[in-house]
Structure formats: structure tokens, C-alpha cells
Amino acid sequence: RSVLARIKANSKMDGKIDVDFSLPDKHTTKSLLVSEQDILKKGTAPVYNIPVILNRPEYTDLQFMPEGGKLIAGFPASVGFKAIGESGEGVNITGKIYDGKNNEVAQFSSVHKGMGAFELLPQQNETYTAMVLLPDGGVKKYPLPAVDTSGIGLRVRDMNDSLLVTVFISPAIDRNSEGFYLLGLARNIVCYAAHITPGSIRNEVRVPK
């Protein structure tokens, strides 16, 4: 455990003590404590450890998680996100997504403990940035994951009695393939399997629950 500051202070008439010190910008604050001891009693006084929970909005961490793992140019994507505060707990946020030309392309807002999702249609050779409104009213920029020029995208939607699974396949990958297998696993046991033949960018499969 490292000591960030050591301060001698006198209590006021009401018993309160004022202390002031600065934290390093990259300090890990999950286990920050303020320890208090009466130094006039020369080590015989007990030490009181007071946990300190910091909540500096500018240190909010924001993670973007595209469904299927990646953003692929030309394929619609549901992008999940999670905002985590300095204390390690979820932080409620709102924001907007802008492309490289500063055009607004999406809006988002957390729905539960800093988590939520939004829809995005990523374009080739484009970059995206989130402008986030933090709990204290400040605004901060966060980059979205890079857009891949080709790949395989996956979407799953709940249709009550079944799951609608959509598989997007880039032409560059499709024309060099003899097909793909869609597998559904539960507890590492295959409970569904289907063969997707090449020749289509968008492939939909309904999987009974």
C-alpha cells in the first residue's frame, strides 16, 4: 500500500478536521483510504481507516461492444455499451454518435447501471466518435471500434417462440467459401445446427426455442 499524502492537522472546536491533498491522474482509487491517528499519544492511539469513494465523472470508462464482435462496413449493427465510474459501478449517461464529417448518425442513453445499446450502419473508410454527456454536465469524446471492410456479422432477435438469427456475409468472403455452419450451443452442447449456402449477403434463420 503506497502513501499518497501525510498531513498533520489540528481539530477545530467542533472536533472536525480539514485536510486537502491531490491525487495522481493515473492513481487506482478502488482501495483509497484515509487513515487517522492522534499523534500526541505516541502510537498508543488506535488507527481509524476511512474508505474514500471518488466519483470524478471525467474518469468515466466507456466500452462499446458491437453484436457479433465487430463493426463491418455496410452491415447494420446493434452496439452495446457500458459506462463505468471511478468506483467501478455503472454510470448513467446519454450521448450522440458522429461520423468523421461531424454528422450525427445515432443517439444513445443508458437504461440500467450504465448499460444500453443503439443501432448503427457503419460505412467503409469511416470513423465514429461518441460525444457523451456525463452526470456532472460535462462532455467527453470516446472513439468507437474501427470499421472492418469485410467480415461476417451476426444478429439475434427474440421473436417470442423463436430466435431470428441474421448472418451477414461480405461478398469477398462469400465467393471464396463453400458455405457456413450456424451452431447453437447450451452448456457446450450443440442443440441447433444449420448450413448456410453461399450466394447471399443477408441470410435469415429462425431457431425454435
Side-chain angles (χ1 to χ4, degrees):
R1 180 185 298 176
S2 61
V3 177
L4 301 178
R6 194 182 300 275
I7 302 170
K8 292 182 179 180
N10 295 321
S11 60
K12 299 179 182 179
M13 294 296 294
D14 59 3
K16 294 181 180 180
I17 299 175
D18 290 334
V19 294
D20 186 12
F21 62 94
S22 299
L23 291 175
D25 289 341
K26 296 184 179 180
H27 176 65
T28 300
T29 59
K30 292 183 179 179
S31 58
L32 182 64
L33 296 173
V34 172
S35 297
E36 183 271 335
Q37 185 181 36
D38 187 347
I39 61 175
L40 297 180
K41 295 184 179 180
K42 298 182 179 180
T44 61
V47 176
Y48 300 98
N49 292 318
I50 307 167
V52 178
I53 299 176
L54 297 182
N55 186 22
R56 296 176 289 184
E58 65 270 23
Y59 288 91
T60 299
D61 177 53
L62 181 56
Q63 304 169 9
F64 293 102
M65 297 156 284
E67 185 178 12
K70 296 181 179 181
L71 293 176
I72 303 173
F75 295 163
S78 179
V79 183
F81 65 88
K82 184 174 184 179
I84 303 173
E86 218 173 359
S87 64
E89 298 182 351
V91 177
N92 289 325
I93 59 170
T94 60
K96 298 179 179 180
I97 306 297
Y98 294 89
D99 63 16
K101 303 178 183 64
N102 207 34
N103 297 313
E104 180 184 324
V105 295
Q107 297 183 5
F108 62 93
S109 180
S110 55
V111 295
H112 179 68
K113 294 185 177 181
M115 295 182 289
F118 59 90
E119 297 296 319
L120 180 68
L121 181 60
Q123 302 298 321
Q124 191 166 341
N125 301 322
E126 188 62 87
T127 58
Y128 297 93
T129 303
M131 296 291 291
V132 178
L133 179 63
L134 299 174
D136 67 341
V139 177
K140 187 174 180 180
K141 289 183 178 181
Y142 295 87
L144 266 68
V147 179
D148 285 6
T149 57
S150 65
I152 299 175
L154 182 69
R155 301 189 74 177
V156 180
R157 295 295 178 267
D158 189 351
M159 306 299 288
N160 296 323
D161 61 340
S162 62
L163 298 176
L164 178 62
V165 181
T166 306
V167 181
F168 300 95
I169 305 172
S170 296
I173 295 177
D174 181 74
R175 59 174 166 260
N176 295 317
S177 171
E178 295 181 357
F180 302 87
Y181 291 98
L182 176 67
L183 301 179
L185 291 87
R187 302 179 185 88
N188 292 322
I189 298 175
V190 176
C191 55
Y192 179 84
H195 179 254
I196 298 177
T197 57
S200 178
I201 295 177
R202 181 187 181 103
N203 304 268
E204 291 188 349
V205 178
R206 281 185 178 266
V207 182
K209 287 184 178 180

